[in-house]
Amino acid sequence: NVQTEGKAFIEESMSIDVVDEIKSYDGNTIILTGTNQTVYTDNPEIMEAAAEALPNGELIVVEGADHGFNQHLKELVQYTVDFVKENTD
């Protein structure tokens, strides 16, 4: 049953310690989130801890953006383009 499997996937993914899982990655990384983010977490400290755990991580918080950046797509694209340009040989 897809619904049961989907629920199990979500429950399992919520039990993962993301900060612990990512800390060994040393590549340049941006974490983009919004102040209206409520899908996975409404706890900004988790996003800050994730960015700090990454040796080359940067947290970008977009004021007013939700999980899908629905009203902030241009900002999302610009941050992404800038990041790719800065991190491409």
Side-chain angles (χ1 to χ4, degrees):
N1 178 322
V2 172
Q3 204 168 28
T4 302
E5 291 172 6
K7 183 178 179 185
F9 171 78
I10 290 170
E11 288 173 356
E12 182 178 343
S13 68
M14 297 302 284
S15 70
I16 295 170
D17 182 347
V18 174
V19 173
D20 188 53
E21 292 291 326
I22 65 174
K23 66 185 176 188
S24 64
Y25 180 73
D26 65 355
N28 294 338
T29 308
I30 55 171
I31 297 175
L32 292 159
T33 191
T35 57
N36 289 340
Q37 161 68 275
T38 59
V39 171
Y40 290 107
T41 179
D42 56 1
N43 186 344
E45 288 81 22
I46 292 173
M47 298 296 187
E48 291 168 5
E52 289 174 11
L54 291 160
N56 298 301
E58 177 184 2
L59 175 64
I60 297 172
V61 180
V62 178
E63 185 67 34
D66 62 7
H67 180 72
F69 283 78
N70 292 312
Q71 304 300 316
H72 300 271
L73 290 176
K74 287 182 182 179
E75 288 173 85
L76 173 66
V77 170
Q78 191 60 59
Y79 282 124
T80 304
V81 168
D82 291 347
F83 177 80
V84 170
K85 284 181 178 178
E86 291 170 8
N87 292 282
T88 305
D89 295 333

